[in-house]
Amino acid sequence: MALPPYDPKFTIACSVAGSEYDPEHDASESAAVVAAELISYARLAKKLDSVRTEYSARYLLDNIACHQCLTVSKCLDFALKNGIPKAEDWPRLGSTATKPPPSYKPDLVSMKGEVVEPEYLDEALELLKYQAVGAKLHVFTPHIELQQEAIYCGPSGEPAKYVGLRDGIIVAVEKIYGKSIATVKVWYKKQFVIVKVALSRGFFSEDIELTLLLVDFCVPRLSID
């Protein structure tokens, strides 16, 4: 099975039959991973780090209260207010190592800034000129698995199941066939996958109002002062 060819004139799809539950998906883990990755992008863009540096998603999970309902925005806000260690200074996500005792104080990288949550795609794309932007992607299967070199358009009339929203990072936008296409790193099945997403494509269903594929934008806007 292959995805249908990209049609730049097709803009809105009426939804899908059914949904698919992913029992392995951990929304809080996803939020922490994407937040840590956004911090890496932001610090490199601001030249606060001379090379790309990995920060600890596990630290966010271990130290934010009520971590079972974390969002990317909450994780970013915590890191900006409290600091975050480099990944090498805290147990890795997924490792069997327990949380260090309270007596262990890792070196925390402190930051100044704020979490910005653009309401509209145009505002998010304006911020993308300066740094990567967090977002959520409406994910459909088998489209996400079959995407490869194709352009991800969500449902296009062929059989599909809705998986839900997944955290991701918009890293670039380009024009293909005259339409804006975003390159997005999506945290899916406990790893980052690269997806080219049609920004002009939308969908709706009985449960979901008309929406674009990318929603819920957020950015850690750091200060160099």
Side-chain angles (χ1 to χ4, degrees):
M1 180 179 178
L3 289 179
Y6 173 62
D7 181 358
K9 295 181 180 179
F10 190 94
T11 56
I12 299 175
C14 180
S15 190
V16 310
S19 60
E20 181 169 292
Y21 173 66
D22 180 3
E24 296 184 359
H25 178 67
D26 185 321
S28 290
E29 177 183 293
S30 171
V33 169
V34 169
E37 190 79 355
L38 278 169
I39 290 170
S40 294
Y41 275 108
R43 288 185 59 83
L44 187 60
K46 285 288 187 179
K47 298 183 179 179
L48 295 170
D49 292 333
S50 58
V51 296
R52 187 186 180 284
T53 304
E54 185 180 355
Y55 293 92
S56 176
R58 167 79 183 270
Y59 181 83
L60 299 174
L61 288 173
D62 285 343
N63 290 277
I64 300 178
C66 299
H67 73 269
Q68 68 272 17
C69 55
L70 287 186
T71 64
V72 174
S73 179
K74 287 180 180 178
C75 290
L76 291 173
D77 186 62
F78 177 89
L80 288 176
K81 290 179 178 177
N82 300 279
I84 184 173
K86 296 178 182 178
E88 64 197 43
D89 294 327
W90 198 260
R92 289 278 177 172
L93 192 66
S95 73
T96 57
T98 59
K99 177 182 176 180
S103 59
Y104 174 66
K105 303 295 183 184
D107 291 332
L108 297 179
V109 177
S110 61
M111 292 168 281
K112 295 180 180 179
E114 61 180 341
V115 180
V116 178
E117 298 181 76
E119 184 176 358
Y120 301 108
L121 176 61
D122 288 348
E123 297 171 326
L125 296 183
E126 183 64 27
L127 290 170
L128 185 64
K129 295 177 181 179
Y130 309 101
Q131 65 183 90
V133 174
K136 288 182 181 291
L137 176 69
H138 285 284
V139 171
F140 295 84
T141 185
H143 301 64
I144 191 74
E145 290 87 358
L146 297 175
Q147 195 263 341
Q148 297 179 358
E149 298 301 318
I151 296 173
Y152 180 81
C153 299
S156 302
E158 67 286 347
K161 289 187 177 181
Y162 182 62
V163 176
L165 286 167
R166 293 295 182 264
D167 295 307
I169 301 170
I170 307 172
V171 296
V173 170
E174 61 186 313
K175 291 287 187 179
I176 299 178
Y177 300 119
K179 298 292 185 178
S180 294
I181 307 296
T183 299
V184 184
K185 289 178 65 173
V186 181
W187 186 252
Y188 181 67
K189 301 289 186 182
K190 296 188 179 296
Q191 64 179 345
F192 277 115
V193 296
I194 306 297
V195 183
K196 287 190 176 295
V197 179
L199 295 182
S200 61
R201 189 65 63 93
F203 78 97
F204 65 94
S205 71
E206 292 182 357
D207 301 319
I208 301 174
E209 295 182 355
L210 180 62
T211 179
L212 296 176
L213 294 172
L214 286 168
V215 296
D216 296 350
F217 310 106
C218 65
V219 174
R221 187 156 59 186
L222 304 182
S223 170
I224 59 175
D225 297 330

Short mmCIF file of all heavy atoms in Angstrom, two decimals, residues 112-159:
data_model
loop_
_atom_site.label_atom_id
_atom_site.label_comp_id
_atom_site.label_asym_id
_atom_site.label_seq_id
_atom_site.Cartn_x
_atom_site.Cartn_y
_atom_site.Cartn_z
N LYS A 112 16.87 32.41 30.91
CA LYS A 112 15.89 33.48 31.04
C LYS A 112 15.02 33.47 29.79
O LYS A 112 15.49 33.18 28.69
CB LYS A 112 16.58 34.83 31.17
CG LYS A 112 17.40 35.00 32.44
CD LYS A 112 18.04 36.37 32.49
CE LYS A 112 18.87 36.56 33.75
NZ LYS A 112 19.50 37.91 33.78
N GLY A 113 13.76 33.78 29.98
CA GLY A 113 12.88 33.83 28.83
C GLY A 113 11.45 33.52 29.21
O GLY A 113 11.08 33.55 30.38
N GLU A 114 10.66 33.21 28.20
CA GLU A 114 9.24 32.94 28.42
C GLU A 114 8.76 31.90 27.41
O GLU A 114 9.38 31.69 26.36
CB GLU A 114 8.42 34.23 28.26
CG GLU A 114 8.54 34.85 26.87
CD GLU A 114 7.72 36.12 26.73
OE1 GLU A 114 6.80 36.31 27.55
OE2 GLU A 114 7.99 36.89 25.79
N VAL A 115 7.66 31.26 27.75
CA VAL A 115 7.02 30.32 26.84
C VAL A 115 5.94 31.07 26.06
O VAL A 115 5.04 31.66 26.65
CB VAL A 115 6.39 29.13 27.60
CG1 VAL A 115 5.74 28.17 26.62
CG2 VAL A 115 7.46 28.42 28.42
N VAL A 116 6.07 31.05 24.75
CA VAL A 116 5.11 31.73 23.88
C VAL A 116 4.26 30.67 23.18
O VAL A 116 4.78 29.68 22.67
CB VAL A 116 5.84 32.60 22.83
CG1 VAL A 116 4.83 33.28 21.90
CG2 VAL A 116 6.71 33.63 23.52
N GLU A 117 2.94 30.89 23.18
CA GLU A 117 2.03 29.94 22.56
C GLU A 117 1.20 30.64 21.48
O GLU A 117 0.11 31.14 21.75
CB GLU A 117 1.12 29.32 23.61
CG GLU A 117 1.88 28.52 24.67
CD GLU A 117 0.98 27.89 25.71
OE1 GLU A 117 0.35 26.87 25.38
OE2 GLU A 117 0.90 28.43 26.83
N PRO A 118 1.72 30.69 20.25
CA PRO A 118 0.98 31.36 19.18
C PRO A 118 -0.37 30.68 18.94
O PRO A 118 -0.49 29.46 18.96
CB PRO A 118 1.90 31.17 17.95
CG PRO A 118 3.24 30.85 18.52
CD PRO A 118 3.00 30.13 19.80
N GLU A 119 -1.36 31.50 18.70
CA GLU A 119 -2.70 30.95 18.49
C GLU A 119 -2.89 30.47 17.06
O GLU A 119 -3.61 29.49 16.81
CB GLU A 119 -3.76 32.01 18.82
CG GLU A 119 -5.18 31.51 18.72
CD GLU A 119 -6.21 32.55 19.15
OE1 GLU A 119 -5.79 33.65 19.58
OE2 GLU A 119 -7.41 32.25 19.06
N TYR A 120 -2.23 31.14 16.12
CA TYR A 120 -2.45 30.85 14.71
C TYR A 120 -1.18 30.36 14.03
O TYR A 120 -0.06 30.68 14.45
CB TYR A 120 -2.98 32.09 13.99
CG TYR A 120 -4.28 32.61 14.56
CD1 TYR A 120 -4.29 33.80 15.31
CD2 TYR A 120 -5.47 31.92 14.37
CE1 TYR A 120 -5.48 34.27 15.85
CE2 TYR A 120 -6.66 32.39 14.91
CZ TYR A 120 -6.66 33.56 15.65
OH TYR A 120 -7.82 34.03 16.20
N LEU A 121 -1.37 29.60 12.95
CA LEU A 121 -0.24 29.05 12.21
C LEU A 121 0.66 30.15 11.68
O LEU A 121 1.89 30.01 11.73
CB LEU A 121 -0.76 28.19 11.05
CG LEU A 121 0.31 27.62 10.10
CD1 LEU A 121 1.26 26.70 10.85
CD2 LEU A 121 -0.35 26.89 8.93
N ASP A 122 0.10 31.23 11.18
CA ASP A 122 0.92 32.32 10.63
C ASP A 122 1.88 32.88 11.68
O ASP A 122 3.03 33.21 11.38
CB ASP A 122 0.04 33.45 10.09
CG ASP A 122 -0.67 33.07 8.80
OD1 ASP A 122 -0.30 32.04 8.21
OD2 ASP A 122 -1.59 33.80 8.38
N GLU A 123 1.40 32.99 12.93
CA GLU A 123 2.25 33.48 14.01
C GLU A 123 3.37 32.49 14.30
O GLU A 123 4.52 32.89 14.55
CB GLU A 123 1.41 33.70 15.27
CG GLU A 123 0.33 34.77 15.12
CD GLU A 123 -0.61 34.81 16.31
OE1 GLU A 123 -0.88 33.74 16.89
OE2 GLU A 123 -1.06 35.90 16.66
N ALA A 124 3.04 31.21 14.26
CA ALA A 124 4.06 30.19 14.50
C ALA A 124 5.12 30.21 13.41
O ALA A 124 6.32 30.08 13.69
CB ALA A 124 3.40 28.81 14.57
N LEU A 125 4.70 30.39 12.17
CA LEU A 125 5.66 30.42 11.05
C LEU A 125 6.55 31.65 11.11
O LEU A 125 7.70 31.62 10.66
CB LEU A 125 4.92 30.35 9.72
CG LEU A 125 4.13 29.06 9.47
CD1 LEU A 125 3.50 29.09 8.08
CD2 LEU A 125 5.02 27.84 9.64
N GLU A 126 6.04 32.74 11.65
CA GLU A 126 6.87 33.94 11.83
C GLU A 126 7.99 33.64 12.83
O GLU A 126 9.15 34.02 12.63
CB GLU A 126 6.01 35.10 12.30
CG GLU A 126 6.75 36.42 12.44
CD GLU A 126 7.29 36.97 11.13
OE1 GLU A 126 6.72 36.65 10.06
OE2 GLU A 126 8.29 37.72 11.18
N LEU A 127 7.66 32.96 13.93
CA LEU A 127 8.67 32.59 14.93
C LEU A 127 9.65 31.57 14.37
O LEU A 127 10.82 31.53 14.78
CB LEU A 127 7.99 32.02 16.17
CG LEU A 127 7.21 33.03 17.02
CD1 LEU A 127 6.38 32.32 18.08
CD2 LEU A 127 8.17 34.03 17.68
N LEU A 128 9.20 30.75 13.43
CA LEU A 128 10.06 29.73 12.83
C LEU A 128 11.24 30.34 12.09
O LEU A 128 12.25 29.68 11.86
CB LEU A 128 9.24 28.85 11.89
CG LEU A 128 9.94 27.65 11.27
CD1 LEU A 128 10.38 26.64 12.33
CD2 LEU A 128 9.05 26.97 10.23
N LYS A 129 11.15 31.62 11.73
CA LYS A 129 12.27 32.29 11.06
C LYS A 129 13.48 32.37 11.99
O LYS A 129 14.62 32.53 11.52
CB LYS A 129 11.86 33.71 10.65
CG LYS A 129 10.77 33.76 9.59
CD LYS A 129 10.37 35.20 9.30
CE LYS A 129 9.26 35.28 8.27
NZ LYS A 129 8.85 36.68 7.99
N TYR A 130 13.26 32.24 13.29
CA TYR A 130 14.33 32.42 14.27
C TYR A 130 14.66 31.15 15.05
O TYR A 130 15.78 31.02 15.53
CB TYR A 130 13.93 33.53 15.25
CG TYR A 130 13.47 34.79 14.57
CD1 TYR A 130 12.12 35.09 14.45
CD2 TYR A 130 14.40 35.67 13.99
CE1 TYR A 130 11.70 36.23 13.79
CE2 TYR A 130 13.98 36.81 13.34
CZ TYR A 130 12.63 37.10 13.23
OH TYR A 130 12.22 38.23 12.58
N GLN A 131 13.71 30.23 15.17
CA GLN A 131 13.97 29.01 15.93
C GLN A 131 12.89 27.99 15.64
O GLN A 131 11.84 28.30 15.07
CB GLN A 131 14.00 29.31 17.42
CG GLN A 131 12.66 29.77 18.00
CD GLN A 131 12.77 30.12 19.47
OE1 GLN A 131 13.05 31.27 19.82
NE2 GLN A 131 12.53 29.15 20.33
N ALA A 132 13.16 26.75 16.03
CA ALA A 132 12.18 25.67 15.85
C ALA A 132 10.96 25.93 16.73
O ALA A 132 11.05 26.55 17.79
CB ALA A 132 12.81 24.33 16.19
N VAL A 133 9.81 25.43 16.28
CA VAL A 133 8.53 25.69 16.95
C VAL A 133 7.87 24.36 17.33
O VAL A 133 7.74 23.46 16.50
CB VAL A 133 7.59 26.50 16.03
CG1 VAL A 133 6.21 26.64 16.66
CG2 VAL A 133 8.20 27.87 15.72
N GLY A 134 7.43 24.26 18.58
CA GLY A 134 6.68 23.09 19.01
C GLY A 134 5.26 23.11 18.46
O GLY A 134 4.68 24.18 18.25
N ALA A 135 4.70 21.92 18.22
CA ALA A 135 3.33 21.82 17.72
C ALA A 135 2.82 20.41 17.99
O ALA A 135 3.59 19.52 18.36
CB ALA A 135 3.28 22.12 16.22
N LYS A 136 1.54 20.23 17.80
CA LYS A 136 0.95 18.89 17.83
C LYS A 136 0.44 18.55 16.43
O LYS A 136 -0.10 19.41 15.74
CB LYS A 136 -0.20 18.81 18.84
CG LYS A 136 0.24 18.83 20.30
CD LYS A 136 -0.96 18.69 21.22
CE LYS A 136 -0.56 18.72 22.69
NZ LYS A 136 0.18 17.52 23.08
N LEU A 137 0.61 17.29 16.05
CA LEU A 137 0.19 16.82 14.73
C LEU A 137 -0.96 15.83 14.89
O LEU A 137 -0.88 14.90 15.69
CB LEU A 137 1.36 16.14 14.02
CG LEU A 137 1.04 15.51 12.66
CD1 LEU A 137 0.74 16.59 11.61
CD2 LEU A 137 2.21 14.64 12.19
N HIS A 138 -2.03 16.03 14.13
CA HIS A 138 -3.09 15.04 14.06
C HIS A 138 -2.55 13.84 13.26
O HIS A 138 -2.19 13.99 12.08
CB HIS A 138 -4.33 15.61 13.36
CG HIS A 138 -5.10 16.57 14.21
ND1 HIS A 138 -5.93 16.15 15.24
CD2 HIS A 138 -5.18 17.93 14.19
CE1 HIS A 138 -6.51 17.20 15.81
NE2 HIS A 138 -6.06 18.30 15.20
N VAL A 139 -2.51 12.69 13.90
CA VAL A 139 -1.86 11.53 13.30
C VAL A 139 -2.91 10.50 12.87
O VAL A 139 -3.80 10.14 13.63
CB VAL A 139 -0.87 10.89 14.28
CG1 VAL A 139 -0.36 9.55 13.76
CG2 VAL A 139 0.30 11.84 14.52
N PHE A 140 -2.72 10.01 11.64
CA PHE A 140 -3.56 8.95 11.08
C PHE A 140 -2.68 7.77 10.68
O PHE A 140 -1.54 7.95 10.23
CB PHE A 140 -4.32 9.46 9.85
CG PHE A 140 -5.30 10.55 10.16
CD1 PHE A 140 -4.90 11.87 10.23
CD2 PHE A 140 -6.64 10.26 10.38
CE1 PHE A 140 -5.80 12.89 10.51
CE2 PHE A 140 -7.55 11.28 10.67
CZ PHE A 140 -7.13 12.59 10.73
N THR A 141 -3.23 6.59 10.84
CA THR A 141 -2.55 5.39 10.39
C THR A 141 -3.39 4.72 9.30
O THR A 141 -4.63 4.77 9.37
CB THR A 141 -2.32 4.43 11.59
OG1 THR A 141 -1.55 3.32 11.18
CG2 THR A 141 -3.61 3.95 12.21
N PRO A 142 -2.77 4.17 8.26
CA PRO A 142 -1.34 3.87 8.11
C PRO A 142 -0.52 5.01 7.51
O PRO A 142 0.65 4.82 7.20
CB PRO A 142 -1.36 2.68 7.15
CG PRO A 142 -2.51 2.98 6.24
CD PRO A 142 -3.56 3.59 7.14
N HIS A 143 -1.11 6.20 7.36
CA HIS A 143 -0.44 7.30 6.68
C HIS A 143 0.91 7.65 7.30
O HIS A 143 1.88 7.90 6.58
CB HIS A 143 -1.35 8.53 6.68
CG HIS A 143 -2.66 8.31 6.02
ND1 HIS A 143 -3.58 7.42 6.50
CD2 HIS A 143 -3.20 8.84 4.90
CE1 HIS A 143 -4.64 7.41 5.71
NE2 HIS A 143 -4.44 8.26 4.74
N ILE A 144 0.95 7.71 8.63
CA ILE A 144 2.20 8.12 9.29
C ILE A 144 3.31 7.12 9.02
O ILE A 144 4.48 7.48 8.88
CB ILE A 144 1.96 8.30 10.82
CG1 ILE A 144 3.15 8.97 11.48
CG2 ILE A 144 1.62 6.98 11.48
CD1 ILE A 144 3.26 10.43 11.19
N GLU A 145 2.97 5.83 8.94
CA GLU A 145 3.98 4.81 8.67
C GLU A 145 4.40 4.80 7.20
O GLU A 145 5.55 4.48 6.88
CB GLU A 145 3.45 3.42 9.05
CG GLU A 145 3.30 3.18 10.54
CD GLU A 145 1.96 3.63 11.09
OE1 GLU A 145 1.13 4.17 10.31
OE2 GLU A 145 1.72 3.45 12.31
N LEU A 146 3.50 5.14 6.30
CA LEU A 146 3.77 5.06 4.87
C LEU A 146 4.36 6.34 4.29
O LEU A 146 4.72 6.38 3.12
CB LEU A 146 2.48 4.73 4.11
CG LEU A 146 1.82 3.39 4.43
CD1 LEU A 146 0.50 3.26 3.71
CD2 LEU A 146 2.74 2.24 4.06
N GLN A 147 4.46 7.38 5.11
CA GLN A 147 4.81 8.70 4.58
C GLN A 147 6.12 8.71 3.82
O GLN A 147 6.17 9.12 2.68
CB GLN A 147 4.84 9.72 5.72
CG GLN A 147 4.83 11.15 5.27
CD GLN A 147 6.23 11.75 5.21
OE1 GLN A 147 7.15 11.23 5.84
NE2 GLN A 147 6.38 12.80 4.46
N GLN A 148 7.20 8.25 4.45
CA GLN A 148 8.52 8.16 3.82
C GLN A 148 8.84 9.46 3.06
O GLN A 148 8.95 10.50 3.66
CB GLN A 148 8.59 6.92 2.93
CG GLN A 148 8.44 5.63 3.73
CD GLN A 148 8.50 4.40 2.88
OE1 GLN A 148 8.62 4.45 1.67
NE2 GLN A 148 8.41 3.25 3.53
N GLU A 149 8.97 9.40 1.74
CA GLU A 149 9.31 10.60 0.96
C GLU A 149 8.09 11.34 0.47
O GLU A 149 8.20 12.35 -0.22
CB GLU A 149 10.20 10.22 -0.23
CG GLU A 149 11.53 9.59 0.16
CD GLU A 149 12.36 10.52 1.04
OE1 GLU A 149 12.41 11.73 0.76
OE2 GLU A 149 12.96 10.01 2.01
N ALA A 150 6.90 10.85 0.80
CA ALA A 150 5.67 11.50 0.35
C ALA A 150 5.35 12.69 1.26
O ALA A 150 6.06 12.96 2.23
CB ALA A 150 4.52 10.50 0.34
N ILE A 151 4.27 13.38 0.97
CA ILE A 151 3.81 14.51 1.78
C ILE A 151 2.62 14.06 2.61
O ILE A 151 1.64 13.53 2.07
CB ILE A 151 3.45 15.71 0.90
CG1 ILE A 151 4.70 16.21 0.17
CG2 ILE A 151 2.85 16.84 1.74
CD1 ILE A 151 4.44 17.28 -0.86
N TYR A 152 2.70 14.27 3.90
CA TYR A 152 1.65 13.83 4.82
C TYR A 152 0.48 14.81 4.74
O TYR A 152 0.63 16.00 4.97
CB TYR A 152 2.21 13.77 6.24
CG TYR A 152 1.22 13.33 7.28
CD1 TYR A 152 0.94 11.99 7.48
CD2 TYR A 152 0.57 14.27 8.07
CE1 TYR A 152 0.03 11.59 8.44
CE2 TYR A 152 -0.34 13.88 9.04
CZ TYR A 152 -0.62 12.54 9.22
OH TYR A 152 -1.51 12.14 10.17
N CYS A 153 -0.70 14.27 4.41
CA CYS A 153 -1.89 15.10 4.23
C CYS A 153 -3.04 14.68 5.12
O CYS A 153 -4.16 15.16 4.95
CB CYS A 153 -2.35 15.03 2.77
SG CYS A 153 -1.12 15.61 1.59
N GLY A 154 -2.81 13.77 6.05
CA GLY A 154 -3.91 13.25 6.83
C GLY A 154 -4.80 12.39 5.96
O GLY A 154 -4.35 11.83 4.96
N PRO A 155 -6.09 12.28 6.28
CA PRO A 155 -6.97 11.45 5.47
C PRO A 155 -7.26 12.11 4.13
O PRO A 155 -7.43 13.31 4.05
CB PRO A 155 -8.24 11.36 6.32
CG PRO A 155 -8.25 12.65 7.08
CD PRO A 155 -6.79 12.95 7.38
N SER A 156 -7.34 11.32 3.08
CA SER A 156 -7.62 11.87 1.75
C SER A 156 -8.68 11.04 1.03
O SER A 156 -8.69 10.96 -0.18
CB SER A 156 -6.33 11.91 0.91
OG SER A 156 -5.34 12.68 1.55
N GLY A 157 -9.52 10.37 1.81
CA GLY A 157 -10.59 9.58 1.21
C GLY A 157 -10.35 8.08 1.28
O GLY A 157 -11.28 7.30 1.23
N GLU A 158 -9.08 7.68 1.43
CA GLU A 158 -8.76 6.26 1.53
C GLU A 158 -8.93 5.79 2.98
O GLU A 158 -9.02 6.61 3.89
CB GLU A 158 -7.32 6.01 1.04
CG GLU A 158 -6.23 6.60 1.91
CD GLU A 158 -6.08 8.09 1.79
OE1 GLU A 158 -6.64 8.67 0.86
OE2 GLU A 158 -5.40 8.67 2.65
N PRO A 159 -9.01 4.48 3.22
CA PRO A 159 -9.20 3.98 4.58
C PRO A 159 -8.11 4.48 5.53
O PRO A 159 -6.93 4.50 5.19
CB PRO A 159 -9.12 2.45 4.41
CG PRO A 159 -9.51 2.22 3.00
CD PRO A 159 -8.98 3.39 2.23
#
